[in-house]
């Protein structure tokens, strides 16, 4: 990948496995501070005693997410000895991606040899691949518009080389390919979210999504003429105040043995900049509204990940791309628009625009492609931040089984969701005197009324709406992400597909 570190894999069983000269040596220990026999052999005579003595001085206990760094260690050829604590958790419960990210964070741009083994733990192919993915994600940064790089970045290119010495594993190459594609998908999503809005308008976003064709993804791009012919008047109403034309991109990956099998479908809100329109936002923080397309970015990243590992599933990604601006041609509060479904919508607030985009795309997908399920992602409401902060995405669903599966995928990946209610009472809040519905139900229950609005466009298709306003951009730093654009959702949805929907 263009971003991140270079990672090489070698077997610990190989006779020539050794620490590379001139870099760091990384060893892993639990709370007993013991090294595996092979790690002690590679580190050299006296390494185990050195670790124990230094740990006593530094009060290093080997707990998870802790490290001890010894510079120019006596008797070792490494420039630094980095000892990473793994705690006492069982290997099956360990978050290997987080461990990889934490380790990469301790190394920075330095090159290193890592002995990925300690007593009682011999990571399998999936664990090694997850560790490598976490390391890649941690080292991603978005600095292409900085004319002056940091001295470290100019000297090293911003990344080092990691050599992972791991136990012999069948299937490691396949697992690494899948992890590489998944990391690339997350980074692609981050890149899209981080780009400035004068660069990434709807047309440019569509062009970048079309780049998935090289992986075998079928691409269809609808321009405004196509959307007018179809009747996507709700989506086009959002775009009419901008000089940038709207686009809808349909991405299809046909990986199932039966090409006629109904696809799983993912739909993303792609407002490349949201000024609020006539109902203009306050100026404070408006620059963050370049990230109002994080849902669409996730869908593109997910399709990249599925195609990269040749997932045995038919998957469809659909994104609605618009810019919401307050031009003289912009829609007004009080306007009534007719959606693709034929349902009419009274515009109360032009800043409640994402649901108008999703309404037409959801209807188009469920009517045209008859999917097994639909999951939409959108930075839809500030209300979800009030409810859940930045720890969870809000999940609204009409299907218990699908919701349970996604919750489990969230626990497994750390991209957690929290189920929120749908109820007929919320329908009453979006009743209109003049049309079939209003586009907002007011301040109370804002996330729920938005989801209830979207529910009117899915019919009986199993469906989840993910409100990712708190996690898709500007989310707290983690061991696997130091970027403003998080790429949230790519790992979550890839895990859902992998666990339940591949042949």
């Amino acid at each position: 990948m263009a971003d991140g570190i270079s990672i090489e894999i070698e077997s610990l069983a190989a006779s020539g496995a050794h620490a590379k000269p001139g870099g760091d040596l990384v060893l892993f220990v639990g709370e007993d501070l013991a090294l595996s026999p092979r790690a002690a052999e590679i580190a050299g005579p006296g390494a185990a005693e050195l670790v124990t003595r230094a740990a006593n001085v530094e009060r290093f206990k080997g707990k998870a997410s802790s490290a001890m760094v010894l510079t120019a260690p006596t008797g070792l050829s490494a420039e630094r000895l980095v000892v990473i604590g793994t705690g006492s958790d069982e290997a099956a419960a360990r978050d290997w991606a987080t461990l990889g990210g934490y380790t990469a964070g301790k190394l920075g741009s330095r090159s290193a040899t890592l002995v990925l083994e300690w007593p009682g733990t011999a990571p399998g192919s999936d664990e090694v691949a997850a560790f490598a993915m976490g390391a890649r994600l941690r080292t991603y940064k978005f600095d292409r518009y900085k004319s002056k790089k940091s001295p470290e970045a100019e000297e090293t290119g911003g990344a080092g080389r990691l050599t992972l010495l791991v136990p012999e594993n069948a299937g490691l190459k396949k697992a690494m390919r899948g992890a590489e594609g998944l990391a690339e998908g997350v980074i692609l999503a981050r890149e899209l979210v981080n780009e400035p809005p004068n660069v990434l308008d709807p047309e440019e976003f569509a062009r970048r999504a079309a780049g998935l064709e090289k992986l075998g993804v079928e691409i269809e791009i609808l321009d405004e003429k196509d959307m007018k012919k179809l009747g996507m008047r709700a989506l086009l109403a959002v775009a009419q105040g901008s000089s940038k034309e709207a686009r809808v991109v349909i991405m299809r990956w046909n990986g199932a043995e039966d090409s006629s099998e109904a696809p799983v479908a993912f739909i993303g809100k792609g407002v490349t900049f949201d000024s609020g329109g006539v109902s203009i936002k306050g100026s404070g923080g408006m620059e963050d509204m370049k990230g109002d397309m994080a849902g669409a970015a996730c869908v593109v990243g997910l399709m990249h990940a599925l195609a990269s590992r040749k997932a045995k599933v038919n998957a469809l990604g659909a994104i609605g791309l618009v810019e919401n601006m307050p031009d003289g041609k912009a829609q007004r509060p009080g306007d009534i628009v007719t959606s693709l479904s034929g349902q009419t919508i009274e515009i109360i607030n032009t800043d409640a625009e994402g649901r108008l985009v999703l309404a037409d795309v959801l209807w188009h997908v469920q009517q045209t492609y008859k999917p097994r399920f639909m999951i939409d992602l959108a930075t839809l409401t500030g209300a979800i931040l009030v409810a859940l902060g930045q720890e969870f995405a809000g999940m609204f669903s009409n299907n218990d089984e699908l919701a349970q599966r996604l919750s489990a995928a969230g626990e497994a990946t750390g991209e957690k969701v929290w189920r929120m209610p749908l109820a007929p009472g919320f329908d009453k809040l979006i009743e209109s005197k003049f049309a079939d519905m209003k586009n907002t139900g007011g301040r109370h229950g804002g996330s729920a009324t938005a989801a209830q609005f979207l529910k009117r466009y899915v019919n009986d298709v199993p469906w989840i709406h993910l409100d990712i306003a708190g996690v898709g951009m500007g989310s707290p730093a983690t061991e696997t992400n130091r970027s403003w654009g998080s790429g949230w959702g790519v790992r979550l949805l890839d895990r859902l597909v992998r666990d339940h929907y591949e042949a």
Side-chain angles (χ1 to χ4, degrees):
M1 295 182 330
D3 294 285
I5 50 183
S6 169
I7 296 180
E8 300 174 0
I9 304 292
E10 293 185 11
S11 171
L12 273 169
S15 59
H18 63 280
K20 297 294 186 292
D24 294 350
L25 174 62
V26 181
L27 303 177
F28 296 85
V29 298
E31 293 182 356
D32 60 3
L33 303 180
L35 302 179
S36 72
R38 190 72 176 106
E41 179 185 345
I42 289 171
E49 181 182 356
L50 177 62
V51 169
T52 301
R53 288 174 54 205
N56 288 332
V57 174
E58 297 289 336
R59 298 183 180 180
F60 174 72
K61 304 297 184 183
K63 295 186 180 297
S65 298
S66 67
M68 177 176 66
V69 179
L70 305 180
T71 303
T74 302
L76 276 66
S77 60
E79 294 175 351
R80 299 193 312 169
L81 176 63
V82 182
V83 184
I84 303 291
T86 63
S88 60
D89 295 338
E90 294 295 324
R94 183 169 289 110
D95 186 337
W96 288 90
T98 293
L99 181 60
Y102 178 80
T103 303
K106 289 299 176 184
L107 296 173
S109 60
R110 297 178 62 86
S111 294
T113 301
L114 294 75
V115 184
L116 199 58
E117 179 186 68
W118 58 95
T121 302
S125 57
D126 288 341
E127 287 81 12
V128 173
F131 180 95
M133 178 187 67
R136 285 194 184 282
L137 294 180
R138 173 59 181 261
T139 57
Y140 165 79
K141 58 180 175 292
F142 186 81
D143 62 359
R144 68 167 51 100
Y145 297 107
K146 288 183 175 289
S147 59
K148 294 182 179 180
K149 310 292 184 183
S150 67
E152 180 184 65
E154 290 181 345
E155 180 180 345
T156 67
R161 183 190 71 253
L162 301 188
T163 301
L164 304 187
L165 304 183
V166 303
E168 194 72 45
N169 286 305
L172 181 55
K173 288 185 178 179
K174 180 179 179 181
M176 286 295 293
R177 283 196 301 269
E180 173 82 2
L182 183 53
E184 288 176 349
V186 174
I187 288 173
L188 174 56
R190 290 178 181 176
E191 290 275 295
L192 292 168
V193 175
N194 285 329
E195 284 283 13
N198 60 318
V199 172
L200 195 76
D201 60 20
E203 187 174 359
E204 173 63 12
F205 198 129
R207 188 190 68 78
R208 295 195 189 188
L212 297 182
E213 284 183 320
K214 65 180 182 295
L215 297 176
V217 178
E218 297 177 7
I219 303 292
E220 179 185 8
I221 298 177
L222 306 179
D223 61 18
E224 289 197 350
K225 182 179 178 181
D226 298 321
M227 286 182 267
K228 287 175 183 176
K229 185 175 181 180
L230 286 170
M232 290 185 170
R233 291 173 288 267
L235 185 154
L236 289 171
V238 179
Q240 70 191 40
S242 173
S243 62
K244 308 293 186 180
E245 285 200 1
R247 294 288 185 270
V248 168
V249 183
I250 307 294
M251 298 159 279
R252 301 189 68 182
W253 168 252
N254 297 310
E257 290 186 8
D258 182 359
S259 60
S260 65
E261 181 179 285
V264 296
F266 305 93
I267 296 92
K269 169 191 171 183
V271 180
T272 59
F273 185 75
D274 180 21
S275 69
V278 170
S279 307
I280 197 164
K281 296 176 181 290
S283 59
M286 192 192 285
E287 69 276 8
D288 288 349
M289 289 301 98
K290 70 175 188 174
D292 206 19
M293 30 57 69
C298 171
V299 172
V300 175
L302 172 66
M303 296 301 292
H304 179 104
L306 295 177
S308 292
R309 66 177 176 83
K310 301 188 183 305
K312 295 181 179 179
V313 67
N314 291 340
L316 181 142
I319 54 176
L321 305 172
V322 301
E323 185 179 62
N324 187 23
M325 297 292 283
D327 183 79
K329 297 180 181 179
Q331 65 177 343
R332 297 150 291 231
D335 284 0
I336 293 177
V337 297
T338 303
S339 67
L340 176 59
S341 70
Q343 298 174 89
T344 57
I345 306 164
E346 181 188 5
I347 305 304
I348 301 298
N349 186 332
T350 65
D351 195 24
E353 85 297 332
R355 65 204 69 182
L356 303 178
V357 174
L358 289 173
D360 278 349
V361 180
L362 283 166
W363 189 266
H364 178 66
V365 168
Q366 59 99 6
Q367 289 287 303
T368 305
Y369 301 101
K370 312 298 181 186
R372 297 169 68 179
F373 68 72
M374 296 191 296
I375 296 178
D376 76 73
L377 302 95
T379 48
L380 207 65
T381 67
I384 205 66
L385 275 158
V386 176
L388 300 177
Q390 294 184 291
E391 298 299 318
F392 298 86
M395 175 176 67
F396 301 82
S397 182
N398 64 0
N399 186 277
D400 291 342
E401 180 182 60
L402 182 60
Q404 290 164 3
R405 288 177 172 181
L406 193 67
S407 292
E411 291 296 326
T413 60
E415 296 188 334
K416 297 182 181 181
V417 299
W418 190 269
R419 192 167 186 182
M420 303 288 284
L422 291 167
F426 294 124
D427 277 317
K428 294 180 180 179
L429 296 177
I430 56 173
E431 288 180 354
S432 168
K433 296 178 182 178
F434 308 106
D436 294 327
M437 70 198 82
K438 300 184 294 187
N439 76 324
T440 178
R443 181 181 181 187
H444 295 164
S447 297
T449 53
Q452 203 76 29
F453 178 99
L454 294 176
K455 186 174 181 289
R456 299 185 178 198
Y457 298 89
V458 301
N459 286 333
D460 296 324
V461 178
W463 160 75
I464 285 175
H465 161 59
L466 290 175
D467 194 332
I468 64 170
V471 294
M473 55 181 175
S475 53
T478 68
E479 296 298 349
T480 55
N481 181 43
R482 289 297 193 270
S483 167
W484 184 80
S486 64
W488 192 97
V490 177
R491 292 175 60 203
L492 169 74
L493 298 176
D494 178 81
R495 184 62 178 258
L496 173 71
V497 172
R498 185 189 297 269
D499 287 350
H500 298 289
Y501 297 99
E502 290 193 58

